Amino acid sequence: MHEGEGGEREVEVGVGPWEGTWPEGDHWDHDLLAQGDRRNVLDQYRYWKHEAIVAELDTRRHEFHVAIENWQHDLNIGTVVRTANAFLAKEVHIIGRRRWNRRGAMVTDRYQHVRHHATVNEFVEWARSEDLVILGVDIFPDSVPLETFDLPRRCVLVFGQEGPGLTPEVHAAAEATLSIEQFGSTRSINAASAAAIAMHAWIRRHVFGQLPNAG
């Protein structure tokens, strides 16, 4: 901890150089052991090589995927990737433009698998080849409440970009479209917030075994 500009106290992230005899194992990063590890990672991964962390995460990723359409350079994608990393999604899929704003991801995209699909058709063909249930999350006349829907274990949750929402092509390809119940004055919530709610619904169902409310 040290003083920053204006005299405020700043907390240093991470740990300094390893003290004592270095540990043995291929997963340790010698540069980090020598210089310290200031990355935003859990303590259990301190001083680990980046590829070793990813490999360990790959052994226990969950079976749901997340996809978001990116036709107008949606700024929510970074936050979606960060949340997907927190809930250990299998993969994040970007449909449309390949480039996306990584600032909101807070470097978590280094640990989260991200796949690009140039078109909706390419994405749909991939999902069906993997036997994944495509579930849209948006407000349509035929949408069913997320709160009462029994999410399948193997699925891909698809979100439209901020404003337009899901395209008609994704809506048509989805086995179901899910809506999130709201109680205020606005019609919809932010796409990144909706993604976090839907991902956590999957976690509650398949990690904690909480059955949905039948209504």
Side-chain angles (χ1 to χ4, degrees):
M1 180 180 291
H2 62 277
E3 287 192 4
E5 295 182 6
E8 68 273 13
R9 305 291 283 179
E10 295 183 357
V11 179
E12 286 188 332
V13 176
V15 291
W18 183 280
E19 296 182 2
T21 304
W22 281 9
E24 296 182 358
D26 292 337
H27 61 290
W28 300 106
D29 187 306
H30 289 181
D31 289 338
L32 294 175
L33 289 169
Q35 300 169 16
D37 188 350
R38 303 299 179 183
R39 299 172 300 175
N40 182 22
V41 297
L42 295 175
D43 287 344
Q44 70 189 70
Y45 297 129
R46 289 295 176 205
Y47 305 110
W48 281 35
K49 296 177 181 177
H50 167 256
E51 57 268 27
I53 297 176
V54 174
E56 195 282 327
L57 293 174
D58 286 347
T59 66
R60 54 188 180 87
R61 290 189 192 275
H62 294 127
E63 295 181 71
F64 76 93
H65 296 243
V66 179
I68 186 166
E69 297 191 85
N70 184 37
W71 306 110
Q72 299 175 5
H73 202 58
D74 196 314
L75 299 180
N76 287 285
I77 293 177
T79 304
V80 172
V81 171
R82 183 180 181 182
T83 305
N85 171 265
F87 293 136
L88 205 57
K90 193 77 169 180
E91 285 187 324
V92 174
H93 303 263
I94 312 298
I95 307 170
R97 297 179 59 175
R98 181 180 295 274
R99 294 186 61 187
W100 54 279
N101 190 321
R102 286 170 164 74
R103 180 175 299 178
M106 299 293 289
V107 197
T108 56
D109 55 302
R110 295 190 64 199
Y111 306 94
Q112 177 64 54
H113 297 299
V114 180
R115 186 191 299 254
H116 174 253
H117 306 269
T119 66
V120 172
N121 284 340
E122 180 182 309
F123 163 73
V124 170
E125 289 179 3
W126 171 85
R128 290 174 175 168
S129 72
E130 296 291 323
D131 293 324
L132 290 168
V133 177
I134 300 174
L135 297 172
V137 180
D138 205 341
I139 300 173
F140 287 106
D142 63 347
S143 293
V144 297
L146 170 67
E147 296 78 9
T148 61
F149 188 83
D150 193 6
L151 290 168
R153 180 175 290 275
R154 287 182 50 78
C155 65
V156 53
L157 302 164
V158 191
F159 304 88
Q161 61 187 18
E162 194 68 25
L166 287 176
T167 58
E169 292 81 6
V170 171
H171 186 199
E175 182 169 312
T177 307
L178 312 177
S179 61
I180 298 171
E181 191 67 26
Q182 297 163 73
F183 301 91
S185 61
T186 58
R187 180 179 181 274
S188 63
I189 60 177
N190 173 269
S193 299
I197 292 169
M199 282 187 256
H200 196 252
W202 189 98
I203 293 294
R204 293 200 316 272
R205 175 67 183 90
H206 294 289
V207 176
F208 294 95
Q210 297 178 8
L211 295 173
N213 182 1

